[in-house]
Amino acid sequence: MREDAALIWLDEGEVARWSRYEFDRPRRQFSLCRAALRALLCEQLGCSNDELAFQHTKFGKPSAMLRDEPAPICFNVSHSGDHGLIAFVPEGRLGVDVEERVDHRRLDLLIKGMLSAEERAELAGLHGAERLHLFFDLWTIKEALIKADGTGLALDASRFTIPPAISHGMTGGTLALPQSPGAEWRVARLGTERFAAAVAHEVPAGPETAPQREAGRPVVSV
């Protein structure tokens, strides 16, 4: 989609936000991702674009409004470089993250701020591309969980460890976080060699039947 076509989807507030970006690339990323989000929400909800609006929690997490009422859908969006990721679920908290696997000049600071002592110790034994690959897998899983939790910096990523069964080999699994009592999270890794990506979705309370579990899986657009 061209940027001028994307802008047609945006409302007045979104166009104002778009115009405040200083650099072309993030401005274009915002317009394309927001237009894609609106188009996909219209498809999921069976509505027109002018019936959609967004509201935000005090922590900045957005949710959809349909005809001035909360829409029966949860979504989350992430973008990095040329990659964007949008996911939807009918209910339950949801978070996604995507990151290009590129070297970062502040990598050591990110490792210290994002990873637990166990994760930092494992990375210390790795080098080059292998170290970078694991870091981005852990980072995107943690960012997806933080965004799903929805309380911003209240969830300290360095205080929980991603189980090796999820960060190595397996594409996903479930886990609980000590800082988010009473919640269980289903995590899926979606990345490739070029980018890391993850989705985190709150598991509904109580026993799930197979049809309920399948219906509750996030719909993902990359």
Side-chain angles (χ1 to χ4, degrees):
M1 182 185 293
R2 290 171 43 180
E3 189 170 17
D4 55 353
L7 289 173
I8 296 172
W9 285 86
L10 275 56
D11 66 18
E12 184 177 337
E14 291 164 334
V15 172
R17 179 178 169 185
W18 166 84
S19 68
R20 289 194 294 269
Y21 281 94
E22 183 177 356
F23 299 105
D24 290 343
R25 188 172 187 180
R27 185 168 59 239
R28 183 173 183 274
Q29 286 175 334
F30 170 76
S31 62
L32 294 181
C33 278
R34 185 51 65 100
L37 172 63
R38 282 182 165 273
L40 290 167
L41 280 170
C42 288
E43 179 182 317
Q44 293 286 323
L45 296 169
C47 67
S48 62
N49 185 42
D50 59 7
E51 294 176 302
L52 275 179
F54 298 97
Q55 64 177 6
H56 296 78
T57 69
K58 65 179 181 179
F59 298 104
K61 187 171 184 178
S63 60
M65 300 290 289
L66 177 61
R67 306 180 193 98
D68 298 322
E69 296 289 337
I73 196 169
C74 300
F75 70 88
N76 205 238
V77 180
S78 180
H79 54 77
S80 176
D82 294 328
H83 301 95
L85 179 62
I86 302 173
F88 305 93
V89 288
E91 61 181 2
R93 290 178 288 176
L94 176 70
V96 301
D97 191 49
V98 60
E99 301 289 343
E100 288 191 319
R101 297 187 195 272
V102 294
D103 204 358
H104 202 294
R105 61 186 177 86
R106 297 174 57 245
L107 184 61
D108 289 338
L109 287 176
L110 290 171
I111 289 172
K112 184 178 180 180
M114 290 289 295
L115 304 189
S116 68
E118 296 91 334
E119 292 162 342
R120 294 196 302 271
E122 181 176 9
L123 278 186
L126 302 176
H127 303 280
E130 189 177 13
R131 180 172 182 257
L132 201 64
H133 195 282
L134 178 58
F135 167 74
F136 277 110
D137 281 345
L138 292 168
W139 183 7
T140 51
I141 293 169
K142 291 194 170 198
E143 281 286 344
L145 285 164
I146 290 170
K147 291 173 70 178
D149 180 71
T151 56
L153 297 177
L155 186 59
D156 184 351
S158 68
R159 291 181 56 197
F160 64 88
T161 299
I162 302 301
I166 295 176
S167 59
H168 296 274
M170 288 178 56
T171 57
T174 58
L175 72 157
L177 301 176
Q179 296 158 279
S180 186
E184 186 178 14
W185 303 95
R186 182 182 293 125
V187 176
R189 291 194 295 112
L190 307 173
T192 69
E193 288 302 313
R194 291 185 58 199
F195 65 91
V199 177
H201 175 222
E202 186 176 18
V203 177
E208 289 182 286
T209 65
Q212 287 172 329
R213 185 163 52 250
E214 190 62 31
R217 293 191 186 281
V219 176
V220 179
S221 295
V222 180

